[in-house]
């Protein structure tokens, strides 16, 4: 049996020997920094330059990730999980990307935001069915997530220039993306849980290596590969922006994986959802946009959701039903159950 407690660090900063609040603060700070910079770069590339080559940019980002992982000293010798585990992970990740991007052909932006903001709820529900996890959350955490989601939707729609536009095909596509997102976060947590020796660098490295070939199919089928290459050849400075964005997003990605390993997929989904609200609020404070009553209602619900999540309603953490529990009780049956759950992950 491997020890459940695995020493974890984030870019040389030890996390395991720190109190929980410091772990949370360090990981959340890295996440917010990385994705706030990512948002600024995306705004410049997609809106200012009108370059909408999402698959190609993700492809470039992957090679930057691999280079940065190499600089961190990670090699294939450090891999402790079979690669087929990451084939599942990457397939789900690419499927989520594709469905999300494709849904924009049938849903307008406000409608997509409404659906994507609900991500935390399917993540919590899916956690009850993932082998090796089997999480159960208290009622107040579901209420907290619902308030956060509702507040973000209200705040976003108050800022929308148009009303949500729904299409059945678009709804099916974005629903599929949400299910895949929920599966992705919980599968990552299950891998960390079932094999505590798994590092954040391994997770990111293997997901990137396996995922890069998946990007070729949509790039070639849509013709984006040739259009993006031509556009970037004419404006080579775009590659500098993409590399800088990838470096910042790398910090955010590793911080997210640290949050998943330490606090679970549902808590991480809450943080990523709250980040959208913080980004929106900062844009209003920086650019002095007028706030309406609907903005205020949304912010109030977001604050209520966050406070409800932080208030300790119960001394017990979200219950987990891992097979290794039987081992602690001295039962040999737990070893067989754990082996079965580990096999189901791969």
């Amino acid at each position: 049996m491997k020890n459940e407690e695995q020493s974890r660090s984030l870019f040389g900063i030890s996390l395991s020997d720190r109190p929980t609040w410091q772990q949370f603060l360090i990981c959340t700070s890295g996440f917010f920094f990385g994705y706030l910079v990512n948002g600024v770069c995306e705004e410049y590339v997609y809106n200012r330059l009108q370059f909408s080559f999402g698959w190609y940019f993700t492809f470039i980002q992957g090679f930057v990730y691999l280079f940065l992982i190499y600089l961190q000293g990670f090699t294939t010798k450090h891999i402790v999980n079979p690669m087929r585990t990451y084939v599942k992970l990457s397939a789900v990740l690419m499927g989520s990307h594709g469905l999300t991007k494709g849904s924009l052909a049938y849903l307008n932006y406000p409608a997509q935001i409404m659906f994507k903001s609900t991500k935390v709820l399917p993540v919590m529900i899916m956690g009850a069915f993932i082998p090796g996890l089997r999480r159960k959350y208290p009622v107040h955490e579901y209420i907290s997530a619902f308030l956060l989601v509702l507040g973000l939707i209200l705040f976003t729609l108050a800022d929308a220039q148009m009303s949500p536009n729904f299409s059945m095909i678009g709804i099916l596509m974005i629903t599929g993306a949400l299910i895949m997102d929920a599966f992705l976060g919980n599968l990552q947590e299950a891998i960390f849980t079932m094999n505590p020796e798994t590092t954040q660098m391994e997770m990111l490295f293997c997901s990137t290596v396996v995922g890069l070939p998946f990007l070729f199919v949509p790039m070639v089928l849509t013709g984006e590969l040739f259009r993006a290459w031509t556009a970037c050849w004419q404006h080579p400075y775009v590659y500098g922006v993409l590399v800088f964005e990838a470096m910042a997003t790398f910090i955010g990605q590793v911080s997210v994986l640290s949050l998943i390993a330490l606090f679970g997929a549902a808590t991480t989904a809450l943080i990523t959802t709250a980040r959208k609200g913080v980004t929106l609020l900062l844009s209003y404070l920086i650019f002095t946009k007028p706030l309406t009553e609907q903005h205020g209602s949304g912010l109030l619900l977001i604050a209520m959701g966050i406070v409800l999540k932080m208030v300790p309603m119960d001394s017990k953490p979200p219950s987990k039903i891992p097979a290794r529990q039987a081992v602690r009780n001295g039962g040999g049956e737990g070893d067989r159950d754990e082996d079965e759950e580990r096999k189901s992950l791969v």
Side-chain angles (χ1 to χ4, degrees):
M1 286 291 295
K2 295 178 177 65
N3 293 332
E4 280 194 60
E5 294 298 327
Q6 168 71 5
S7 176
R8 298 208 176 273
S9 62
L10 182 62
F11 300 115
I13 302 174
S14 177
L15 298 174
S16 300
D17 57 355
R18 295 176 182 272
T20 302
W21 71 270
Q22 288 187 14
Q23 295 177 352
F24 184 82
L25 182 62
I26 292 170
C27 294
T28 304
S29 298
F31 164 71
F32 270 80
F33 168 78
Y35 279 94
L36 284 175
V37 174
N38 169 265
V40 172
C41 292
E42 283 191 348
E43 173 76 17
Y44 177 74
V45 173
Y46 284 90
N47 295 334
R48 297 289 295 276
L49 300 180
Q50 298 296 309
F51 282 10
S52 56
F53 307 122
W55 294 112
Y56 182 75
F57 291 166
T58 305
F59 186 72
I60 299 298
Q61 186 182 68
F63 283 101
V64 178
Y65 280 4
L66 294 179
F67 178 69
L68 293 174
I69 292 171
Y70 171 76
L71 292 182
Q72 293 291 316
F74 181 87
T75 66
T76 53
K77 295 180 181 179
H78 297 112
I79 298 175
V80 297
N81 293 298
M83 288 300 292
R84 61 180 179 272
T85 302
Y86 298 104
V87 172
K88 290 182 180 180
L89 206 62
S90 298
V92 171
L93 180 61
M94 292 303 108
S96 172
H97 273 298
L99 289 172
T100 299
K101 292 177 185 295
S103 68
L104 281 174
Y106 304 94
L107 302 173
N108 62 4
Y109 184 70
Q112 191 194 63
I113 285 292
M114 284 184 64
F115 280 95
K116 292 294 285 184
S117 297
T118 65
K119 175 183 173 180
V120 62
L121 296 174
V123 166
M124 294 176 73
I125 295 170
M126 185 73 76
F129 303 99
I130 298 294
L133 233 73
R134 312 292 190 195
R135 282 197 180 277
K136 290 184 178 180
Y137 296 92
V139 175
H140 82 273
E141 292 209 14
Y142 284 102
I143 297 174
S144 169
F146 177 77
L147 290 173
L148 186 63
V149 166
L150 183 59
L152 185 57
I153 290 174
L154 281 177
F155 194 96
T156 303
L157 292 183
D159 192 40
Q161 300 296 319
M162 63 190 87
S163 299
N165 180 31
F166 298 101
S167 163
M168 184 53 65
I169 297 177
I171 290 173
L172 291 175
M173 292 179 72
I174 200 66
T175 300
L178 283 172
I179 293 173
M180 288 187 175
D181 281 343
F183 183 79
L184 178 69
N186 282 297
L187 181 57
Q188 288 172 328
E189 182 184 356
I191 293 171
F192 282 128
T193 301
M194 297 300 292
N195 194 343
E197 292 185 356
T198 306
T199 63
Q200 302 96 304
M201 289 300 165
E202 174 186 335
M203 185 79 72
L204 189 56
F205 173 81
C206 293
S207 299
T208 303
V209 167
V210 176
L212 282 175
F214 281 101
L215 294 172
F216 265 106
V217 177
M219 280 197 299
V220 173
L221 290 180
T222 61
E224 181 177 309
L225 176 61
F226 308 104
R227 288 185 285 110
W229 174 266
T230 303
C232 292
W233 180 262
Q234 295 172 352
H235 305 277
Y237 62 88
V238 172
Y239 285 111
V241 178
L242 293 178
V243 170
F244 180 71
E245 177 189 358
M247 292 171 67
T249 310
F250 177 77
I251 296 174
Q253 275 286 321
V254 178
S255 299
V256 164
L257 291 173
S258 301
L259 284 168
I260 292 174
L262 294 169
F263 300 98
T267 298
T268 304
L270 275 171
I271 295 168
T272 57
T273 302
R275 191 262 307 178
K276 296 176 184 176
V278 172
T279 303
L280 287 171
L281 181 59
L282 283 176
S283 71
Y284 274 80
L285 295 176
I286 293 172
F287 299 106
T288 61
K289 301 177 184 178
L291 289 170
T292 65
E293 291 184 4
Q294 188 171 336
H295 286 111
S297 299
L299 288 174
L300 180 61
L301 289 173
I302 291 172
M304 289 172 62
I306 293 174
V307 170
L308 186 59
K309 170 66 178 176
M310 295 175 64
V311 172
M313 298 283 184
D314 191 351
S315 58
K316 296 180 180 179
S319 60
K320 245 172 151 182
I321 315 175
R324 59 168 63 91
Q325 183 178 6
V327 178
R328 294 196 202 100
N329 295 333
E333 186 69 27
D335 288 322
R336 290 191 295 273
D337 291 342
E338 183 175 2
D339 288 339
E340 290 175 3
E341 292 198 337
R342 194 185 300 277
K343 289 176 182 176
S344 66
L345 282 176
V346 299

